[in-house]
Structures are given as C-alpha cells and as structure tokens.
Amino acid sequence: MTIHRRQFLKAGAAIAGAMPFARVLPALAASDTLVAVTGQTINSLDLHRTGTNRASYQVAINCYDRLITFGTKTLPDGSLSFDYSKLEPELAESWSVSDDGLTITFKLKPNAIFWDGSKVTAEDVKWSFDRAVSVGGFPSTQMKAGGLVRPDQFTAVDDETFVIALDRPSKLSLPDLAVPVPFIINSKVAKAQASAEDPWATEYLHTTPAGSGAYKVARWDPGQQLVYERFDGWTSGPLPKVRRIILREVPSPATRRALIERGDVHVSFDIPDKDAAELSEKVKVHSTPIANTIHVVGLNYDFEPFQDANVRKAVAYAIPYKEIFETAAYGRGAPLWGETEEIAGTEWPRKSPYVHDMEKAKELLAASAYPDGFEVPLSISTDLASWMEPTALLIQESLGKLGIKTEIEKIPGANWRTAVLVEKRLPLHLENFGGWLDTPDYYFFWAYLEGNLFNSSNYRNEEIEALTAETLHMAQDDPEYAPKIRRMFEIAMEDIPRIPLYQPALNVAINGADGYEFWFHRQLDIRTLTGAES
Amino acid sequence: MARRSAAIAGRIAQAIPVVIGVVVISFLLTRALPGDPAVQFAGAAATPESIEEVRRSLGLDKPLPEQFVIYVGQLLEGDLGRSVSTGRPVATELAARLPASLELTLSALLLSCLIAVPLGVLAATRPGSLVDQFCRVLVTAGVSLPTFFTGIVLIYVFYYLLGIAPSPLGRLDFIYVDPPHVTGFFLIDAAFDADLETWLGALKQLILPAITLALFTLAPIARMTRAAMLAALSADYIRTARAAGLAPATVLYAYAFRNALLPVVTTLGMVFSFVLGANVLVEKVFAWPGIGSFAVEALVVSDYAAVQGFVLAMALLFVFLNLLIDLSYSVIDPRFGTSSK
C-alpha cells in the first residue's frame, strides 16, 4: 500500500524533470496531479468493516467497481449529477431480468482485470456479495433494501456469468447494486489473507484495498491524507484524465477556505453553506441539493400535545421557513414549503403546503386542546449545530408568540443518534434523513413506518404502513404506483409528523479543475475530475 | 549520592499508584460518557439487530467488571486495544501521532523559552523600564489571545495575504514524502537522512503553528522568570555578593539566575503538560496530525479503547515529565535529596 519513499520521489522527479520540487509541482499539477481537501477523516479503506465512517465510502467508489452504476445527467446549471433513472454497466457488460422478475443474470466484461492483472470472475462477485450480506451492520442492512439477504441467492455459473435469485421482484434490487456497498473485491487476494476468526479478511482489506477500480491507493496516512494513483488497466469506464489525486484532511473550514482561494488546492469538498455563499464569487462552487434528503422538524407522537392534529399544524404554520433557509442554509439547497398546486407528480422531496402564517397558527392552536400553549424542550445536536442552532432559535422565537415555550436542549454528538433515532425520546427536535435509493417509498419506508430507524416521531398510520409496503418494491411505471404515492404524500402532509424545512445542499468548491459530478452518496467521485480547461 | 538515588527511586515509586488510578478512572469515565458506541459504529441505517450485532462484536454486551478484567489483561500484555473508529491498534495510532504533537509542542516551548527567559530577566533587572512595559504587553497579549484565533490570523496574514508561509497542510506539504521513520520527529529524521529539502520543508510547516503556541506559552514563562528574578535579586545573598565586589554579570547569572531557575523549570513543566493537551485547536487549524485531534475524534464517537489509550499515554507522559523535572532539580539544586532541603 505504501510506496517506497525513493520510488515515490523518483516517480515525482520523472514527471517534474528537475528540482526544486516546491516550485515545479503547482505547474505540473494542472494536468497530472490534483489536490483535494476535506474536513472529514477517512478511517478505513473497507466500507464493510464495523466502524467505517461515511467519509471512507469514497474508497469503495474510487477504488472498487460495482456490477452496474447510475448514469450521468447535466443539471440546469451545467454541472454533472448522477442519474437515478439510468442504469449503466460497470463490471457487468449486460444483464437481464427474468419475466417473473426473480432472477437477474449478469454477463461480466470478459476483459475486466483487477490491479494485480488477474481476471475479474463471477466467483469474485459471489465472494464479495456473500461478504456484504454476511458481515452484518450497515452493509448487510443496505443489501437487504434490495432484497439481497443470504449468500445462497448468489451463484457464479461460469467465469463470466453471475446470477442473483430474488425472493420477490423489486424495483430496488438493481439500483441497490449501484450504491457503494456491493463492490467487487479480488477474492483470491482477500482469501489468501483470511483466517478462521476473520473469514472475510476485514483486517487486511481495512488497509489494503484489492479491487479493479479506476484508482489504486498509493498511500494512506490515517488522519492526514490519501493518495490515489490511476489504474491504467481500468475497463469499467473511460480512463480518468488525472494520474494522481492527493486528498488531504484539513479539519478547519477557515484553513480549507484559504487554501482553495489561494489556488493551492483544486477541490475543497463538502464546505459549509456560509463559505459556499461567500466563495461563489471567487471560485466555482457547486451546490447540489442532496437527493432524497430533507431537513425536518420532528414532532414526537409520544408527547401528548403533538397527538393533536391542530397543534401539529399550528407548529407547521408558525415556522419561519424563509428566514431559516436564508439564515441556516445561506440560501443553498432547495426550499420545501409553500406548495400551492395539487399533488401531481411523484417527485421527492416535494414542497409541503405549509407557509409561515402566524394568524392561521393562532387559530389552529386556539382550536386545539392546548389553546394557551405548553412547554416543550427543542432538541438539537451539537455536532450539527451549524444548521440546527440558527434554525432552533428562529423556531423558538416564533413558537413563543403562540405561547409554546421551548427550551433549546443541546445534545452531545455522541449521544444524539441514540436519543433521537434509537430511543426516539425527543418530543420536538430537528432531524435529517436522506435515502440512497432515490424513490419516495424508500424515504417513507425509513422515516414514516413505525419502529423504523428514522421515524423519530413514533408516527404510525395504518394507511401509510400499507401503502409503503405495497409501493416499496413496485415498479415505478406500474399504473398503480403514482396514485398510491400521491396518497402517501397527502397523508404525510395532513398528519405532518415531520415538517419539511428545506433540502440541504452538498457544496464543493473547485479552483483549477473540472468535471465534478454530484453523487447521492455525498462522497467525492474522483474518476470524472480533470485538470482545468485551458 | 546514595541518598540522591534513593530520592529518585522514591519519586519513581510514587508514580505507580498514579498510573493504576489513571487506568481505573479512565476506564470508568469512558463508560460514563454519553453515547452508545454500538449505535455510533453500526452506521447510518442500522437496525436494532445490527446494533446488537455490533455491540456483541465489540464485546460491549459483557458486564462492566468483565470488560475491565479483559482490559487490564490486555494492558499487562502491552496491548492498548484497538480503536474501532480507525481500525488500528491504539498503540500504533499513538506512536504515529504523539511525535507530531511533541515536535510541535517542544519547538514552541523552545521558541518561547528563547524569548521569554531573556525578556523576563531583562524586565526584572530594569523594573518599570521600556523592556518591562514591553514584557507586560506581550504577556497580556499572549494569554488573552486564544490559540485558534492567533493561528487563523497568522495564516490569514502570512499565507493568505502575503503568501510567504507554506500551505497550512500539516507536517509536510504534499510534494514531500515523510522522512524514514526513526524518532517520528520530522526535523530529526530528515537530518538523519541528510535530506535538506525535506528538513526545510518540515521546518517551514512548523514555523506558524510553533509561533502560535509559543505566543500562548510565553506569558507564564516570562512572568515566572521576572518574578523569580526579582525575588532572587532582592535576596540577602545577592546583596552580600554585590558588597563583596563580584562582577555584576557574575552576580546576575551565577547567583541570581541559577536560583531563579527552579520555579521557572517548575512552570515549564506545567506549561508543557498544559499545552500538550491544549494544542488540539492549533492542530485543527493547521491540519496537524497530532494526538489532540485523534483524542477528540475518538471522544465524539465514544471510541473507548482510543480514549483510554490516550488518557493513559498522557498520564504516563506527565509522570515521566514530572520525574524529569524533579531530576533536573537535582542538577540545579545541590541540596536535592538531602534532609536540609
């Protein structure tokens, strides 16, 4: 994994031609090396390991291939984004779904090779899928979403034919193969490192990826940097233009901002909304609303006043949406309030029918069982204070005018998930959920079904339960699909256990590079990056 | 001499209960932290079953006393456990990161001593003079400016506006490669390697964060030097020395300064321990891969082994440091270890 120091220097010198390095590299960087900075720490090179954090998912994307991937579309502002509606081949050359929808057969590309030169076989695919459904934790949960639960569902028929047997047909199965989780590992390398207590070679793959992806890891200094080097034998897509990409971890946003403004780095990934708003005048900033993700105010049904529909609606009308969007998000992302038209499409996230209207809020509260208001803590996480704190303050002020007294309760980041999602014990709180599989029913599955993780409101509605179960696996072009989804929207907005605020944005500043593509997984896909257009 | 060795051995023996206490307290405190590591590490879309699975695999389903016994057993084998968040043994993590913090802290302390001690001496010999006033201003500024603020201002001025400082990207700019690992101190390792390019690169990266920390540590050292020198200069033995007609320089350095050194060294020890813990903000600002940021990350995700390892390493470091200071007394003060002290 670590290249020897002398080799590295030699490789550098070969391109640079002459010393001193310090002056040569910036000039050379334009075409050959890109430098990106991020505030997050990459803590593992193996997404399947317990404890691997979100920032580390990018290794699964850049260094490993999946069978298939999503297509690319151009957004109105000219930037690139993944396209959920288009599935494209990555390692698989083609695939077919049986008429009953229960069997998916993949044909692998015959010329696909791993970094060590060995052929990518269906056996490798099977081993990797077995691993993803067996290791438990997050990867197995994500595989389950696509109906992939047990190793006996996967068969390697021959070197280039891989078959998945499903228990029931689902529209989520194929897209679920394009998310970061089901990546294909070089099973020969991994098995050689596996042991009785570590049958899936998690120890080895944690620090040493073994894949067929566009980039190899040339160097990983945990907590500092990750150096990607292009794999010239990559066959799963057009060969990336940039030979080497250095990703540095810089925790302080102020420092990251100075670096990108000075032009010493080319990409600053996931910057705060405030910096994005201010930097956009100086460098190129992509702010893409994150697919299937909504910042919401959660009203917990376990708290008596919120069982009253009039109270919930009063709160929804008392929220100063516009001010929140401008103060907490600096106008980045997409507003999610004030829908006036009838529900027509099945797009999600969609605007709620609520607006900031204190008169209406007062009327509704007067009609409720709590005309004089009540007291309730408003809980936020210290880790997410950048958007939660201003939002909470604005809500507190506004609810105060209704007589609903709130005290802002800041919960330490380490305790937040337990309190809000596992114990679901916060009466009034701010929350956020984004689903990787970009359909409304998938969002509803996680956030509106009783007992499911992101239903922090303890909401239960029989019709929603039934509709979600019916639509979750239904094809989107099924004639029954759209009406059912619209009915779900209707109920969710009427019952309003989660009040949508806005769709947050992923902000990426680019200076001297191009080809950035937004992905639902919110990680940097380096494969499309190029040097600056010149 | 025997007395002195006995005193030193006594000092070492005193450290043992401290270390045992630290082991117990750090274990209990990490368990008392809010947050459930199993939830944290089960990931974004964890179901209750997968959380339980993670809890079992981390050994957190066992009762506390059993966990403690396992932990102590591992410790006795020199195993600090494995950090879940980084997936590496805690000992490896600490070994990788401690030198970075130490290099920064020691450089800053050296820098601040080089300025603060002469300044304190000058201020004490000329009370009320311009030097004394300057010393006061510097000391006030030093304590009242938070380190992250000084750091950001320095970056803004010297990197962003003037462009003379290198990119604040940690210990080495990305064009260099770490020197071969000997001590973990880049300046020393690069010097061993006779690699001037890397040595200069490491030095350049070190300058701004070291100045930031030095500004912060200047204050107590300068204050203490000034106060100790004032006390020494007004002592009887100085009057006697002066009356005996000794040269002013001899009086100042051989008599007053040597006596003033004891409290200064004590302060230095305290400042060092304090700064090593407090430089996490500087590490964040300068993307310095030190032990502080590691500990904070570990705390945020309730990574028990990492937090315990950090606390234990710090405790051992302080015990060692105090020992070192005590031993330095024995060099400075000939009465060390004798009952007449």
Side-chain angles (χ1 to χ4, degrees), chain A residues 459-475:
Chain A
Y459 174 62
R460 181 179 176 90
N461 176 293
E462 295 310 326
E463 209 179 338
I464 289 268
E465 301 272 328
L467 284 168
T468 309
E470 287 165 28
T471 52
L472 189 60
H473 301 285
M474 188 185 276

Side-chain angles (χ1 to χ4, degrees), chain A residues 5 8 22 25 43 49 51 136-138 141 203 206 219 223-224 248 250 255 259 261-262 264 414-415 417 453-454, chain B residues 35 41-46 53 82 84-87 97 159-160 167-169 172 174-175 177-178 193 195 285 289 300:
Chain A
R5 163 183 161 69
F8 191 96
L25 207 96
N43 71 4
R49 186 188 69 101
F138 165 65
T141 313
E203 286 293 300
H206 168 49
R219 216 186 132 84
Q224 296 179 61
R248 276 275 178 140
V250 178
T255 311
L259 284 165
E261 265 191 68
R262 290 271 307 171
D264 283 346
N415 206 13
R417 285 183 63 84
L453 192 69
F454 289 90
Chain B
F41 292 122
E53 234 169 70
R82 176 176 289 264
V84 188
S85 64
T86 67
R97 284 161 174 274
Y159 169 68
Y160 183 78
S167 329
L169 276 173
L172 272 179
F174 50 81
I175 47 176
V177 180
D178 301 0
D193 197 36
D195 185 347
V285 170
V300 166

